[in-house]
Amino acid sequence: MQKAIIGKKVGMTQIFDESGKVIPVTVVEAGPCTVTQKKTVETDGYAAVQLGFEDIKESKLTKPEAGHLKKAGVEAKKHLKEFKLENAADMNVGDVVKADTFAAGDMIDVTGISKGHGYQGVVKRHGAGRTPMTHGGGPVHRHAGSMGASSHQSRIFPGKIGAGQMGNEQVTIENLEVVKVDAELNMIVIRGAIPGPKGGLVYLRNTVKNNKVKNVETGISKNPQKASGRNPQKASARG
């Protein structure tokens, strides 16, 4: 079943598993989210629900936003986001989605706005090399260099690396594992890093990745791209 929720990044920390190994994790304050709108195939052509997150004073909303939420009969929400879910037809306006909609072991995709780094040059933005610092290099060590100067090209092709705005764009990290869920604290603990700064808004939903299932008994993968999948006998002998 497809699931989704809106949350806020709290920060990163580390926990220990049963064997004592360190797991780097990100803590997300997820929900509670309220269903503020329901879209159906009959009226809108597709099935989806709009979730609202984080209470806010009605006076801080625009008149269209306040009217939209007032018509739905729900409290004022700061963030609204629409999700296409398979069970959208079973949900109604006013329903509450909490952190326990996910469980430990679920694989999710996390979407957020990456940290903004301002206007940066090609060295920091794209990892370009600099010119030698000796033998009269001049004050151009971190410049991008000549581009499109020949008579054949006489122009710069689209996609050429250059200085510009770095970060502050939507990023999705796929196939992350949910390590722990605490419904009372509205907390979801995710293995690894997710986009955005502390306090940044994030969207959590089921992963679109097709996770390969391994043969747990023999430790042989069913993925033919792996060596153990192509030659199971060699893999079993190695184990």
Side-chain angles (χ1 to χ4, degrees):
M1 184 180 69
Q2 293 179 331
K3 298 175 286 187
I5 197 170
I6 308 173
K8 184 187 296 184
K9 180 178 176 180
V10 178
M12 289 197 70
T13 183
Q14 62 184 24
I15 61 177
F16 297 89
D17 60 8
E18 295 79 3
S19 60
K21 294 183 179 179
V22 175
I23 303 176
V25 296
T26 303
V27 180
V28 175
E29 179 188 346
C33 297
T34 305
V35 178
T36 57
Q37 187 180 14
K38 177 181 178 179
K39 296 192 175 183
T40 61
V41 178
E42 294 76 18
T43 58
D44 303 284
Y46 65 98
V49 291
Q50 184 187 76
L51 300 182
F53 172 67
E54 195 173 353
D55 295 335
I56 190 176
K57 291 182 179 180
E58 186 176 340
S59 60
K60 293 188 176 182
L61 297 175
T62 63
K63 287 186 178 180
E65 291 173 339
H68 170 67
L69 296 173
K70 190 174 182 180
K71 181 180 178 180
V74 298
E75 297 181 359
K77 298 294 181 181
K78 186 176 181 179
H79 307 288
L80 301 176
K81 177 68 174 177
E82 183 178 293
F83 298 95
K84 291 184 178 181
L85 305 177
E86 293 177 350
N87 63 331
D90 301 330
M91 304 176 70
N92 298 308
V93 175
D95 291 352
V96 178
V97 179
K98 298 183 179 180
D100 56 3
T101 187
F102 290 97
D106 288 350
M107 307 303 293
I108 62 174
D109 295 341
V110 181
T111 302
I113 303 297
S114 62
K115 292 181 180 180
H117 295 273
Y119 190 95
Q120 299 297 335
V122 291
V123 175
K124 182 171 182 178
R125 191 180 185 212
H126 296 288
R130 57 171 176 78
T131 62
M133 300 298 289
T134 58
H135 300 289
V140 294
H141 304 291
R142 297 174 68 89
H143 288 197
S146 177
M147 300 186 203
S150 68
S151 60
H152 165 67
Q153 182 176 337
S154 299
R155 68 187 181 93
I156 299 175
F157 287 110
K160 175 68 175 178
I161 65 172
Q165 167 69 33
M166 181 178 177
N168 193 31
E169 59 185 2
Q170 181 172 295
V171 179
T172 298
I173 306 297
E174 299 178 340
N175 212 28
L176 296 176
E177 180 186 359
V178 176
V179 178
K180 183 180 180 181
V181 176
D182 192 324
E184 295 182 0
L185 299 177
N186 300 319
M187 180 180 69
I188 296 180
V189 181
I190 304 170
R191 181 190 295 266
I194 65 174
K198 295 179 181 178
L201 193 71
V202 291
Y203 306 123
L204 282 61
R205 69 192 84 193
N206 292 85
T207 185
V208 297
K209 293 284 188 180
N210 183 15
N211 295 303
K212 301 295 182 180
V213 180
K214 291 185 178 181
N215 189 335
V216 181
E217 296 180 359
T218 60
I220 299 173
S221 174
K222 294 183 180 180
N223 187 353
Q225 295 180 348
K226 292 187 176 181
S228 58
R230 294 191 299 269
N231 192 348
Q233 294 182 352
K234 182 179 179 180
S236 60
R238 185 170 59 248

